Each structure stands twice: as C-alpha cells, then as structure tokens.
Amino acid sequence: MNFGQEIRELRKKEGLTQEQFALKLNVTRQAVSNWENDKNLPDLELLILMSRVFSISLDQLILGGTDMNNMTKKLVKDGQEGRRTQMHLTLTIIGAFLMVLGLACFVIKANSIEYIDDNGMLHENFYLLPVGYLLLVSGGLTSVLSAVFLYRFKKEQEKS
C-alpha cells in the first residue's frame, strides 16, 4: 500500500473529512489532498504529529505494512542526501583549511629572518616552501574531489 492510500484509510477510519484532518494537523486541505493523491509527501515533523494525534505507530504510518512505499523511499533518499551533503561540506572545509595552512607557510617564510651566524651557517626556514606547496596542492585536490563528488551525486539524482 502506498502512503497516499495509508493516509486516506487513516482519515476515513477516524471519520474525518480532508478539512477536519487538515485542521488537526494545522495544514491546509490541499496538503491532505496532495498526500492522498501521491502528489506530495509530508515532512518528518508532520509524520510524528500524525502518529501522536491519531495514535498510530510511525512504522505503520510510514511502512504501511511489509512493502516499501513511496514515503519509505523518500525517507531513505533524504537520509542518503543528508550524508552526502555532510561529506561534501566536510571535504570542502578540509580543502579550504589545507590551502589556508599552505598560504600561512608562505607568509611565515616571507616574513622570517634569514641570517648567517658566526660559523658561516645560513639559517632559514627553507622547509616552509615545499610544505606550503604540498598543503596548497592537497587542499586543491580535496576541493576538486569534493566538487566531483557533488557533481556525481547530482547526476545520480537526475537519473532517478
């Protein structure tokens, strides 16, 4: 049974019109009609409210039995999107942080004092240049990977 049928049966079981059902949930009658006709799906907060108001378990409301309905698929898809978005954000932040560290190495190198001591030894922070380049390249690659990851995710969404 799909989610629209589940909502319609719940409403009829309670003996309510779409208008009365909508009033109990603080939504419009059109929203209820859209749910029942599978044109739209309620968000998770409304599902929890429905569960409480009509004393029905979330399992029964969402799953509607043993088969996956459109609401179950939506919740699974939303969870996957959330994880992917979080991964993209994390990779972007890491890439930006690495590039800032690389730039900081160049600034420190430019502002450090190089000198020759009494024994004729040159003292300079020569290691800051390769470390700075390494951090910049690593940050750039991480940012590119993040963009590729997001692009592939959007392509997958368009296919389904």
Side-chain angles (χ1 to χ4, degrees), residues 21-141:
F21 191 82
L23 283 173
K24 285 186 175 269
L25 299 173
N26 297 321
V27 296
T28 64
R29 185 204 56 77
Q30 289 83 3
V32 175
S33 175
N34 286 337
W35 298 339
E36 289 183 1
N37 293 315
D38 290 322
K39 291 182 182 176
N40 204 351
L41 295 169
D43 61 8
L44 190 56
E45 292 173 5
L46 278 171
L47 288 173
I48 293 169
L49 181 62
M50 275 185 230
S51 171
R52 288 182 181 154
V53 169
F54 298 107
S55 301
I56 185 172
S57 73
L58 282 172
D59 285 343
Q60 180 62 33
L61 185 62
I62 294 170
L63 297 175
T66 57
D67 298 332
M68 276 185 68
N69 61 24
N70 53 353
M71 175 52 76
T72 308
K73 290 176 186 173
K74 178 185 184 269
L75 290 173
V76 169
K77 182 179 174 187
D78 287 350
Q80 290 172 344
E81 287 177 17
R83 284 190 298 279
R84 286 181 179 150
T85 303
Q86 185 177 11
M87 175 73 87
H88 171 66
L89 180 63
T90 302
L91 286 174
T92 302
I93 290 171
I94 289 171
F97 181 72
L98 290 173
M99 291 195 304
V100 166
L101 281 177
L103 291 174
C105 287
F106 292 130
V107 169
I108 292 170
K109 172 67 175 142
N111 292 319
S112 66
I113 299 173
E114 299 169 357
Y115 64 95
I116 299 176
D117 67 9
D118 293 337
N119 295 329
M121 294 280 296
L122 175 64
H123 293 274
E124 70 171 320
N125 298 331
F126 66 93
Y127 60 87
L128 287 175
L129 288 177
V131 169
Y133 284 120
L134 180 67
L135 288 170
L136 278 177
V137 169
S138 299
L141 284 175

